[in-house]
Amino acid sequence: MEVDIGNALGSVATPGVSRGSLERLDERVADAHERIEAGIGDREHGYAALALPETADPDAIRAAVDPIDCDTLLVVGIGGSALGAATIADALDLDIDVHTLDNVDPDHTRTLLDSLDLSRTALHVVSRSGTTAETLANFLVAREAMESAGVDWTERTLVTTGEEGNLRGLAERHDLPALDVPAGVPGRFSALSTVALPVAALGGGDVEGLLAGAGAEAEGLTGSLFESPAYAYGATTYALAQRGWRVNAMMPYAESLETFAEWFAQLWAESLGKEGVGQLPARALGATDQHSQLQLYRAGPRDAMVSLVRPRERGDVSIPETDLEGLSYLGGSSLGELLDAEFEATEASLAAAGRPNVRVEIDRVDAHELGGLLYGMEAACVLAGELYLVPTFTQPAVEWGKRAARGLLGGGEFEEAAAVEEKERLVVD
């Protein structure tokens, strides 16, 4: 992963970050790096995620998926229990179709299950606690659909969960293959673990390549933002947020990385959005959203930075010659050349308007580079959390909503549920 922060500098963006400010900030980065290194070494909660390239066990993952033969994998989870797998599946050329049940919209769940050949579908059910309401509800629905179709769900289900909980008990009762969620790793940081790597293992993907790419990025973490791409990204986004750029639009220029932007949105929002600080992550896709969102980022409120991501190498498609008036310039070029021109034009357009943007490049979209990109963004997020002085690995606002929903469903007495009845109403019909 390479990061170019030139268009975030004060010579381009208004307001931007001066080189002197970055040099002063680098002293804090050095201190934060020491804290991060110690946390990794001690496998502290959260920091343990950055040790995954070393601690993940590809052999255990392959052993767990070995009994399962499928054409389609249905990942049943929510948030970090599904987004990492979806990102890997969409980015890599796997041998199986992958779908996720990461919401409890009944229309979507029924439509998806009805569309699948359940006799050739496997389930990967992911919940650290084993009690996640949305995940367990979708699993029960999917299990019933399999039973109704005459399919033995016990032969087609893999579980990733904690040492205790309902899901662990179910796995033991039915002798299901089960993997342990990694200790001390929050779900949104778990893409390089037993939570998401089984999708690659089942689909013939390069699990070792993902971890090797992450490991290479880990080796590049130093005590300076001028030497570490991950820290350059984390520190620069922090510095821009301090100057009022409170939106971070993640805009990959590759269809295969569209879900990566969704994964990034959870990572950035849930980790850093605390105590009145953080950045609002927006999801965009180049070049598609040049025709929609870019208008806002270039000419709207001065609060949005843009992160532009692209692979340097990709497959290509030639554009045929044409005699259509005004389009002859396209003939003889390619879609790849056009996409690169769109990327660079967007970058220049934002810079010309004084809007900060950061370029993130990988060599290509493959397992090694994807592993590095995922790890790099996780490390950037951890560093940003250190600079914001927030508890990066907690999510109290999310837990509040979970308790309220559980109370409404009769899952216990939770004072948060009472707030639903106290809602202020002004209905216009």
Side-chain angles (χ1 to χ4, degrees):
M1 182 176 81
E2 181 179 281
V3 173
D4 180 354
I5 60 175
N7 279 349
L9 295 176
S11 56
V12 176
T14 309
V17 188
S18 70
R19 292 179 183 271
S21 293
L22 285 175
E23 289 170 1
R24 290 188 293 275
L25 181 60
D26 205 36
E27 297 176 8
R28 291 188 60 198
V29 171
D31 292 338
H33 176 64
E34 288 186 10
R35 174 72 186 96
I36 292 167
E37 273 199 321
I40 295 172
D42 294 339
R43 302 296 189 263
E44 290 183 45
H45 178 75
Y47 299 97
L50 298 184
L52 282 172
E54 177 185 347
T55 60
D57 185 352
D59 292 336
I61 293 170
R62 287 208 174 83
V65 306
D66 187 61
I68 298 174
D69 178 31
C70 66
D71 297 325
T72 300
L73 177 65
L74 184 57
V75 179
V76 185
I78 194 167
S81 294
L83 280 172
T87 299
I88 290 171
D90 288 347
L92 304 183
D93 185 17
L94 300 181
D95 298 334
I96 58 174
D97 293 326
V98 180
H99 301 273
T100 57
L101 272 180
D102 60 349
N103 202 343
V104 286
D105 181 328
D107 289 335
H108 170 72
T109 298
R110 178 51 57 199
T111 299
L112 177 58
L113 290 173
D114 287 347
S115 72
L116 301 178
D117 178 359
L118 296 177
S119 69
R120 297 295 303 157
T121 298
L123 305 178
H124 183 201
V125 188
V126 186
S127 169
R128 175 184 295 275
S129 66
T131 61
T132 307
E134 299 91 342
T135 299
L136 272 294
N138 272 331
F139 169 57
L140 293 174
V141 171
R143 184 178 75 173
E144 182 181 59
M146 284 185 157
E147 290 173 340
S148 297
V151 177
D152 186 351
W153 64 272
T154 66
E155 295 181 354
R156 316 197 63 75
T157 300
L158 166 69
V159 165
T160 296
T161 190
E163 295 180 357
E164 300 177 349
N166 294 332
L167 203 52
R168 177 64 68 177
L170 183 78
E172 292 173 350
R173 186 160 62 253
H174 294 281
D175 196 26
L176 306 177
L179 290 164
D180 297 330
V181 293
V185 177
R188 58 190 177 277
F189 287 90
S190 65
L192 297 165
S193 78
T194 52
V195 169
L197 293 179
V199 71
L202 272 167
D206 186 359
V207 177
E208 283 83 2
L210 284 160
L211 292 171
E217 201 64 39
E219 290 176 3
L221 295 182
T222 72
S224 173
L225 70 89
F226 297 106
E227 298 174 0
S228 166
Y231 285 172
Y233 185 82
T236 300
T237 56
Y238 162 79
L240 288 172
Q242 298 302 99
R243 288 159 176 78
W245 303 101
R246 301 297 292 271
V247 177
N248 187 343
M250 177 56 69
M251 195 171 187
Y253 276 69
E255 289 273 348
S256 60
L257 293 177
E258 184 174 12
T259 311
F260 158 76
E262 187 174 353
W263 171 87
F264 173 85
Q266 184 200 5
L267 178 76
W268 216 245
E270 195 169 1
S271 299
L272 304 177
K274 291 153 191 165
E275 301 177 14
V277 302
Q279 283 182 315
L280 172 67
R283 304 197 296 266
L285 178 65
T288 301
D289 286 312
Q290 289 172 215
H291 296 266
S292 55
Q293 296 180 37
L294 183 60
Q295 176 65 39
L296 176 68
Y297 302 144
R298 191 181 193 274
R302 304 189 71 85
D303 62 356
M305 62 162 288
V306 180
S307 298
L308 300 151
V309 182
R310 73 168 172 183
R312 293 192 180 98
E313 303 170 16
R314 66 174 94 233
D316 211 347
V317 175
S318 297
I319 301 174
E321 299 285 351
T322 180
D323 58 2
L324 292 174
E325 185 177 353
L327 294 178
S328 59
Y329 73 95
L330 292 173
S333 60
S334 69
L335 293 182
E337 290 173 332
L338 177 57
L339 189 61
D340 282 341
E342 299 273 15
F343 177 97
E344 291 167 11
T346 299
E347 187 178 50
S349 169
L350 290 164
R355 307 297 176 112
N357 56 92
V358 174
R359 177 190 288 203
V360 179
E361 292 183 298
I362 58 176
D363 289 340
R364 65 196 67 83
V365 182
D366 64 9
H368 186 277
E369 294 297 294
L370 180 63
L373 181 62
L374 293 172
Y375 186 93
M377 288 300 163
E378 289 180 359
C381 183
V382 174
L383 174 73
E386 298 290 328
L387 297 177
Y388 280 118
L389 303 176
V390 296
T392 308
F393 307 113
T394 65
Q395 51 282 329
V398 174
E399 298 302 325
W400 194 101
K402 286 181 179 180
R403 291 191 296 270
R406 188 167 181 177
L408 290 174
L409 291 170
E413 294 292 330
F414 295 93
E415 63 181 24
E416 292 84 355
V420 175
E421 293 302 321
E422 298 168 2
K423 176 189 177 302
E424 187 76 24
R425 297 181 186 275
L426 178 56
V427 178
V428 179
D429 193 349

